[in-house]
Every structure is written in C-alpha cells, then in structure tokens.
Amino acid sequence: MTDSLHAQIQFNEFGLPVATAFDDIYFTNENGLAESQYVFLQHNDLPERWQTHPQSTFVIAESGFGTGLNLLATWQLFLEHAPEHLSLHFISFEKFPLQHDDLRRALAAFPQLKTLADELIAAYPSAEPGCHRRILAQGRITLDIWVGDILTQLPLWLPHAQERVNAWYLDGFAPDKNPDMWQQPLYDAMASSAAAGCTFATFTAAGAVRRGLQQAGFAVTKVKGFGRKREMLRGTFPSNTPPEGPNHTTPITVVGGGIAAACTAVELQRAGYQVEVLTPGIADAASGNPQGAVYPLLHAQRSPLAEFFSVAFGYATHFYQQHTPAHWFPSGVVQLAYNEARQQRYQKVSAAVVDGGPGYDATTVQALDAAATQQLWPALPPYPSLYYPQGGWLRPGAVVQQLLHGVAQHSCAPLEAIEACPEGWLLRTEDGQAIRRERVVLACGAGLKQLLQPFSLALQNVRGQVTQVSASKTSATCPLVVCYKGYFTPVDQGQHCVGATYARDDEDLQARATDTAENLANLIDNLAPATWPTDLTACADRVALRNTTRDHLPIVGALANNLWVIGGLGSRGFTAAPLAASALVATLAQTPLPLSANLWQRLQPQRLQADD
C-alpha cells in the first residue's frame, strides 16, 4: 500500500533505488559512495577544514537526505580524521523520506558502511512534518532531518540558523527532474545561513543553478564532475564575519530534580557547559512514580500541540534508548476506544489526508479494529483502538537518577523566590538561605507556579494519584501500556501502576482512599467486559503535582537575561522533556534549533502572561 508521506521507489537491475515520482536515481549505479566522497567531501575541502575549524562544532546543511549516503560518507570520514574535540551537526531536508525497509535495502549496497548504517536505521525517524533530531556516534554527531518540502521548511529553520552553516551539500534529484526545489529561495537561504568561510558543492553544472547561486552572493567555480559527468559546481560565500561563540566558561545552575532538570543537565553537558543541579531531592515529585508511559498527544488536526508531540515523541524514545536503556521498555501503547465518543475521536485522529484527516505516519499511530486490538493482548476487551508501536514505559525515578549520574548536585530546601542581584540571580529558599548564581535554568515542576508569579506567568498545578496493584496471573501477561480514561502498565517487580486522578488546583499530597477507588473503578469500567481487572488489589498509592499550562504546551525559553525556564510539562512530561531541553540548550549555545521557529515561538513563557 502506498502513502503520500514516503518516497515511492523501485530497485533497478543493479539493486539500487530509483524514485518513481522523479524518474531519477538516488546515487550512481557505478559507485555512489565514491561520488559522495568526490562531490561533497572533497569539494567542500573536508577533512582539511576540520583540522583548523575555530569552533567546537562544524555544521553541514544538505538539500535532500535521500538514503543518507552523504551523511554516512561524512560520518565515516569525520570519525577517521576530525580532531577529537570537534563535533558535527548535520542538517538535512527531505520531502519524501524512505520507508525503513527501503532504506535498509538501499544501504545494503555499501557493506563498508554497515556499522554506521545500522545505527542510522535504528534512529531513523517517522515521516511526520518538521525537524527530527537524533544523536549519533556516541554524542559526537547531531543529525537534524527536516521532513517536508524544503522551500516550506527553510523559513521555519532559518531564523535560528543565520550565519551558522560551514558547508552546504546541494543535492537532490537533478534540476530537470525536480525543478520545484532548484529555486532562488533555496540559494538565498543558503547565503543567509552561511557562516564565515562557508563552502558549497553540487553534482550539477546547470546554468540556472550557477546563476542562482551567484545572485545569492556565492562565488561559483566549475570543476570536473564525477565519472562520466563533465562538470560540477563548487564555491564559497565571501562575506560574513565569525559570530561570537556562546559563553561556556560560566557554570549554569539547573534548579530542579525531575525529568526536565535531568534532560536539561544532560543536554547542557553535551553542549560543553559546566552544570550544577540545585534541588531538595532527585525524582521526589512528579518524576518519581514507579512507572510512566511515553506516547504522543495527537489531535484530529495538525495543531501546534500535535506538531510538537509528533516530533518530541520520536526524540524521547531515541533519548531513553540511548541514555537509560535498562529502564526504558518500548512495549507499545494502546488507547482503547471504550465508548462511542472515543471511537469517533480516534477515527478522526487516524484519518488519512485524502479523507480530511491529519495523516500521521503509521510508525507514529495506527487505527486498529476490535480484533486487531485483541491480537495485541487477548485479555483486552474487543474495542477499536489507537496503537503507538514505538511507545512504551519507563521507570521514572531510575531514569532521572541515571541521567543525573555524573552531574554535580547540591541539596537545598525548595525555592521560595528568585530575584535579580548584581551577581545575576538570588535564589531564596524556604529555610532562609540566599544562594547567588550567575546563570540559572528553572526546571522545578510544580514549584514554578509560585516562582513565576513575579513574571506575571499563570501556571496551574494538577494533583494526580497513582495506585499500584499486585499482579494477577492474567495481568502479569500484559505486554504493553493500556490507556483508557486512565492507564495500566505492564508488570514490574510484581506490580502494575493504575492511574491517574486529575484534580486541578488541588495541592494536597496525602493519598486518598476515594482516589484509589476511582483509579480501580475506571480500570474495571473502561475495560469491561474483561473481568480480570476485578481481581486486582491495591497495595500502594503515590501523590504528586503536575505543572501545566492553559494550552498544554510546555514553557521553554528565556525569562530574563541569564534566566531560563523549562516547565509546564503536564501529564506527558517524559515525552516532552528531552526535546524541550534540547531546544532550550540550542538557544543558549546559539546553534540551529530542533523545532520550527513558529513552534519555538509558541513555547515561549511570555505567552502565558496574565495580561494577554
């Protein structure tokens, strides 16, 4: 079955991929790897430029990700020749991503790249529009794949990529096969993004391409092409002065001990910052539940909320697999349509574009009928459902502890207030301490509600109570997270989590028998006619506060000079936190963001100011 999201390809007599829509090859039949190395690596003067690069990161941007062959060729050369202190940021645009199976088959033509190709394939994102960030090569390579038409995506990327790119790979199907891409806005965006000394290379020598690049300000030279191609183009962007780099010398203090603080600390360390975490305790609040689910919050329209979670979800699963694999379980998540209203809502969420729906990729979400739902686990009731094959669950406390391992931690009482002072920021704690720090990130969950009142930001705390139940013979066979009005997790150490209540503006942290009863009643009622939930017995409860916003999007960004915030993560904190932290640190480090400029603007805390 074909779809409108992925590339439609066939494999020719040489076993190599051809795009049917463009009637063009992805790489030459003779030697695609040699062509990539000659055209893009050699004619952008790599790896020689890596030896003397003045910044800690070398940024390459590419038009047309295709099979990822250019990335793999660059990756291989980078590991062999780049100085150990240098990292690589590879940014690529792709309108029609390959299916996983097609990607695997195409890259099988290059056995010498198998180890790198396997890592890429394992991290390869869904075909959701927007930016998909992946971290490769044990943290040395950041890959951003922007899915969508390049001329649509460039304006969303460019505001945070001005004068940041060191080399451009101008690739894609040939100009006569794909004229929509080879347009002046592309060449102008290349010029706007060009850092001092930026180069470009392209396989084509078409006159229209040469003139367009020259009009954008590039100095263009014709050189011998690869193989049977007579000529190709290369060149430089002559202007632009080196930008001032970010301040890596002054430590950054992260206030908080939950998943937002942990992800922020990890991303800051990877970006080269000195980090300390200031907190009363680690995973002692909303991030301390025994089990937590990771799956996206999707709408029947491509809303900003759905846009954020469709890309945050993929980054989160990648992040946990990379950093905390012992405590991350990609079991899949199913949402049961246990009544007529849910069935109608889920039908709209899963509808294809041709049917007026949002058209989410099948690797993100799938609609199942009642029989297919029961194939996931026969003990489920016969309801239609939404299935998230890449979702799963984790052990929140253990994840946070592992992420913060190796990060400097200092214990203090909860913050009561934060004030500007000559040294930067004065942090006042509930026990009367006055702590002075120059650069601060507030990532303290429910504590943000009070701390941000002086900034006129309206946040809400929502009380949630989770109930643990002892596993029965049937429940112990549950293979995936089951969501209904609440949620039910697979067994861990003999117990399941059943949750969770949702009480707005209630900050009482004492467990309530009525909430225990509500959690169990929802499970029994929503999964009827299945009877196994009636056999479960509560053995423990835990109460915590979720920090939420009125539009359900996180708040991420600057509050004032040298003061930032990441919060409002709500019920999907473990899904939202990794990408939110990555975006926040990208702004601090002055590197291209993993979010569109429009979406980044929607995450800014100032949108919640009470006088709006």
Side-chain angles (χ1 to χ4, degrees):
M1 179 179 173
T2 63
D3 62 52
S4 59
L5 298 173
H6 293 93
Q8 306 303 318
I9 69 172
Q10 59 187 13
F11 287 84
N12 63 18
E13 67 272 24
F14 303 103
L16 301 179
V18 178
T20 55
F22 298 96
D23 187 28
D24 202 2
I25 55 176
Y26 279 88
F27 43 77
T28 177
N29 293 326
E30 287 78 20
N31 193 330
L33 178 58
E35 181 179 34
S36 286
Q37 292 167 335
Y38 177 81
V39 172
F40 298 110
L41 278 59
Q42 181 176 328
H43 285 96
N44 276 292
D45 300 320
L46 310 178
E48 293 83 5
R49 291 171 63 201
W50 294 335
Q51 308 305 317
T52 57
H53 188 62
Q55 277 90 37
S56 60
T57 301
F58 192 91
V59 181
I60 295 173
E62 172 187 52
S63 59
F65 184 76
T67 64
L69 183 59
N70 292 339
L71 165 69
L72 295 176
T74 307
W75 182 351
Q76 183 184 56
L77 192 72
F78 187 80
L79 294 184
E80 290 174 355
H81 296 287
E84 287 190 10
H85 72 271
L86 191 64
S87 61
L88 175 67
H89 192 165
F90 194 98
I91 301 160
S92 191
F93 297 85
E94 178 55 60
K95 186 175 183 179
F96 297 117
L98 268 67
Q99 299 267 18
H100 264 82
D101 289 346
D102 289 338
L103 181 68
R104 185 178 292 106
R105 183 176 173 185
L107 292 178
F110 308 101
Q112 66 272 49
L113 298 174
K114 185 179 187 310
T115 300
L116 307 186
D118 287 348
E119 186 174 346
L120 171 63
I121 292 164
Y124 192 65
S126 64
E128 304 297 346
C131 180
H132 298 265
R133 174 159 291 184
R134 297 294 184 265
I135 309 301
L136 306 169
Q138 298 182 303
R140 286 194 71 191
I141 297 177
T142 299
L143 169 65
D144 288 346
I145 300 179
W146 285 79
V147 174
D149 184 282
I150 189 169
L151 298 186
T152 302
Q153 297 295 325
L154 281 170
L156 304 177
W157 165 77
L158 196 54
H160 300 283
Q162 295 285 323
E163 300 183 20
R164 289 291 177 268
V165 175
N166 304 113
W168 265 96
Y169 294 176
L170 187 49
D171 201 4
F173 299 117
D176 60 335
K177 304 279 190 178
N178 185 24
D180 290 347
M181 187 195 85
W182 301 84
Q183 299 288 336
Q184 196 60 43
L186 169 58
Y187 312 134
D188 292 342
M190 290 170 61
S192 296
S193 67
C198 179
T199 61
F200 84 88
T202 181
F203 63 89
T204 184
V209 175
R210 175 176 51 81
R211 291 187 294 273
L213 287 163
Q214 289 172 330
Q215 182 178 326
F218 285 91
V220 182
T221 304
K222 283 185 182 179
V223 294
K224 184 186 180 307
F226 177 79
R228 284 180 268 176
K229 291 183 179 176
R230 192 162 56 89
E231 294 176 318
M232 57 167 278
L233 303 177
R234 61 172 297 179
T236 59
F237 195 76
S239 59
N240 291 345
T241 56
E244 287 187 27
N247 175 8
H248 282 95
T249 57
T250 304
I252 296 180
T253 298
V254 179
V255 179
I259 189 59
C263 290
T264 303
V266 166
E267 296 285 356
L268 283 168
Q269 280 197 330
R270 201 177 76 82
Y273 290 94
Q274 293 176 263
V275 187
E276 68 162 350
V277 167
L278 208 59
T279 180
I282 302 300
D284 58 349
S287 294
N289 286 339
Q291 294 172 274
V294 175
Y295 63 108
L297 183 58
L298 303 180
H299 284 172
Q301 301 84 29
R302 291 273 183 176
S303 64
L305 191 67
E307 180 188 351
F308 173 77
F309 274 103
S310 65
V311 291
F313 171 51
Y315 187 67
T317 59
H318 167 73
F319 182 89
Y320 297 126
Q321 182 61 44
Q322 198 164 56
H323 290 282
T324 61
H327 303 296
W328 160 241
F329 303 89
S331 61
V333 175
V334 64
Q335 276 185 310
L336 299 176
Y338 56 87
N339 59 30
E340 184 63 30
R342 293 275 173 146
Q343 288 186 29
Q344 292 178 5
R345 187 193 311 173
Y346 293 173
Q347 284 173 359
K348 292 177 181 177
V349 168
S350 60
V353 172
V354 294
D355 297 321
Y360 296 112
D361 188 2
T363 62
T364 301
V365 65
Q366 300 169 14
L368 304 183
D369 60 21
T373 298
Q374 289 192 301
Q375 287 179 1
L376 296 174
W377 184 36
L380 288 172
Y383 296 142
S385 65
L386 292 180
Y387 176 53
Y388 304 90
Q390 296 182 352
W393 64 276
L394 40 67
R395 299 186 182 112
V399 165
V400 172
Q401 290 276 3
Q402 189 167 338
L403 291 175
L404 288 175
H405 180 72
V407 177
Q409 300 168 31
H410 299 99
S411 181
C412 71
L415 255 60
E416 193 172 61
I418 182 166
E419 307 163 8
C421 69
E423 298 88 349
W425 295 96
L426 179 66
L427 313 177
R428 296 192 183 278
T429 65
E430 291 179 357
D431 63 355
Q433 285 190 76
I435 303 169
R436 288 172 169 80
R437 293 293 188 269
E438 185 173 339
R439 311 172 82 196
V440 177
V441 177
L442 298 176
C444 44
L448 292 172
K449 181 182 176 183
Q450 177 181 333
L451 286 174
L452 298 189
Q453 284 178 354
F455 297 90
S456 301
L457 296 182
L459 294 171
Q460 186 177 49
N461 288 337
V462 178
R463 180 186 182 277
Q465 181 169 320
V466 174
T467 300
Q468 286 181 278
V469 297
S470 299
S472 67
K473 183 176 181 182
T474 299
S475 73
T477 65
C478 178
L480 77 173
V481 178
V482 181
C483 298
Y484 39 97
K485 187 177 180 180
Y487 65 86
F488 182 83
T489 60
V491 67
D492 189 32
Q493 301 175 26
Q495 297 176 337
H496 306 272
C497 275
V498 184
T501 59
Y502 198 89
R504 292 182 175 87
D505 295 320
D506 183 347
E507 300 196 10
D508 177 16
L509 295 179
Q510 295 298 312
R512 301 170 185 165
T514 52
D515 284 15
T516 307
E518 179 184 335
N519 283 332
L520 295 179
N522 283 334
L523 177 66
I524 292 169
D525 176 70
N526 295 171
L527 270 68
T531 58
W532 59 265
T534 62
D535 299 330
L536 301 176
T537 304
C539 56
D541 287 275
R542 189 175 187 279
V543 180
L545 302 178
R546 314 172 185 92
N547 185 237
T548 66
T549 66
R550 63 189 180 215
D551 59 9
H552 305 291
L553 281 167
I555 54 170
V556 190
L559 289 167
N561 187 39
N562 286 331
L563 179 65
W564 301 270
V565 64
I566 172 171
L569 301 184
S571 301
R572 297 287 205 289
F574 279 84
T575 307
L579 185 62
S582 181
L584 180 63
V585 172
T587 62
L588 269 69
Q590 300 169 24
T591 58
L593 264 64
L595 293 172
S596 72
N598 293 352
L599 190 53
W600 174 246
Q601 199 58 41
R602 287 184 175 272
L603 300 186
Q604 296 311 294
Q606 290 76 17
R607 76 183 192 275
L608 299 178
Q609 286 179 337
D611 59 351
D612 280 357

